[in-house]
Amino acid sequence: MNSRKVVFLFWSTLLVGSITGGIVGSILNSDRLLGGGFANFFWGAVWAIGISAAFSLISQMGFFAYLTLHRFGLGIFKSVRLWNRIQMVVIAFVVFDLFYLRYAAFAEAGESIWSYMVTPVLLLIYGLVIAAIKAKDTNRQAFIQALFFIVVVTTIEWVPALTANDPKWLWIYFTPLLAANTWQLLILHRLTGSGKQEAKK
C-alpha cells in the first residue's frame, strides 16, 4: 500500500461520506432549505456536505483504529478463530446494547421496546450482507472481521448522536459514517491486491 493509494483512500472516502451525508442531510432539512430561496438552499447544502465530511473523517479514524486493534488481537490471541469468536461476542453485546440501553434511557411510559430494535436489526442485516461480499472477494476469515467493523465500529462512532437521541441528527450522523465505512472496507483489498481476483492475476 503506497502513499498514492493511501491518498486515494482518504479522498475517495471523504467524497463518498460527504455526498451521501449531504444528500440525506438536505432531504431531512428540505423544509428549511426550500423555503428561503436559492441562496438558502445552496448554503444549507454546503453545510450538510461539510458536516458529513467531518463525520467521514471520524469514520477514517475508526477504520485505522480497527486495523490496529485487529493486529493487536491476532498478536495477543495467536489464533484467527479465537479472535473471531471474541469479536462475535462483542458484536452480540453491541447489538443488544444498541436497542436495550437506548430503550432504558429514552423510552417514554408505555412505549414498546420493539421500536428500538428496528435500527440494530437493520444494521446487523446490512453488516451481514457487506461481510458476505467482503468474504467472497477475499476469504472466509474476513467475514467476522467485516461484520465487526460495520456493526461495532460504526456504533461506537455513532455514540454522540445516540446519546443526543435527536431523530434527525441520528440519520445525518449515521449516513456518512456507514457509507464511508462500507467504502473503506470494500475498497481496501483492491488497493492492497489481497482480493481473490487480484491474487489470481
Side-chain angles (χ1 to χ4, degrees), residues 8 12 18 35 37 49 64 80 88 96 101 122 138 165 198 201:
F8 171 79
S12 62
S18 300
I49 292 173
F64 285 102
V80 176
M88 288 175 65
F96 175 78
L101 292 182
L122 290 178
T138 54
N165 199 42
E198 289 79 3
K201 292 179 182 179

Side-chain angles (χ1 to χ4, degrees), residues 10-22:
F10 173 81
W11 286 109
S12 62
T13 303
L14 189 67
L15 184 63
V16 168
S18 300
I19 292 176
T20 54

Side-chain angles (χ1 to χ4, degrees), residues 40-62:
N40 183 69
F41 175 82
F42 175 79
W43 290 113
V46 169
W47 173 85
I49 292 173
I51 199 73
S52 298
F55 297 150
S56 72
L57 291 176
I58 294 174
S59 165
Q60 294 189 54
M61 289 188 289

Side-chain angles (χ1 to χ4, degrees), residues 87-129:
Q87 290 184 95
M88 288 175 65
V89 172
V90 176
I91 290 168
F93 180 77
V94 168
V95 170
F96 175 78
D97 281 353
L98 187 55
F99 73 84
Y100 182 76
L101 292 182
R102 290 188 65 235
Y103 172 76
F106 302 114
E108 299 178 356
E111 191 173 7
S112 172
I113 194 173
W114 297 108
S115 60
Y116 288 86
M117 294 181 65
V118 174
T119 300
V121 169
L122 290 178
L123 178 60
L124 179 61
I125 293 172
Y126 180 83
L128 290 169
V129 172

Side-chain angles (χ1 to χ4, degrees), residues 16 59 126 130 133 149-150 154 176-188:
V16 168
S59 165
Y126 180 83
I130 298 302
I133 295 172
F149 178 69
I150 290 294
T154 300
L177 286 177
L178 189 62
N181 282 344
T182 302
W183 170 256
Q184 292 175 103
L185 189 65
L186 296 182
I187 198 65
L188 181 65

Side-chain angles (χ1 to χ4, degrees), residues 134-148:
K134 181 71 173 182
K136 181 180 178 181
D137 288 346
T138 54
N139 59 76
R140 289 185 298 175
Q141 297 292 346
F143 182 88
I144 297 301
Q145 299 157 21
L147 182 62
F148 183 94

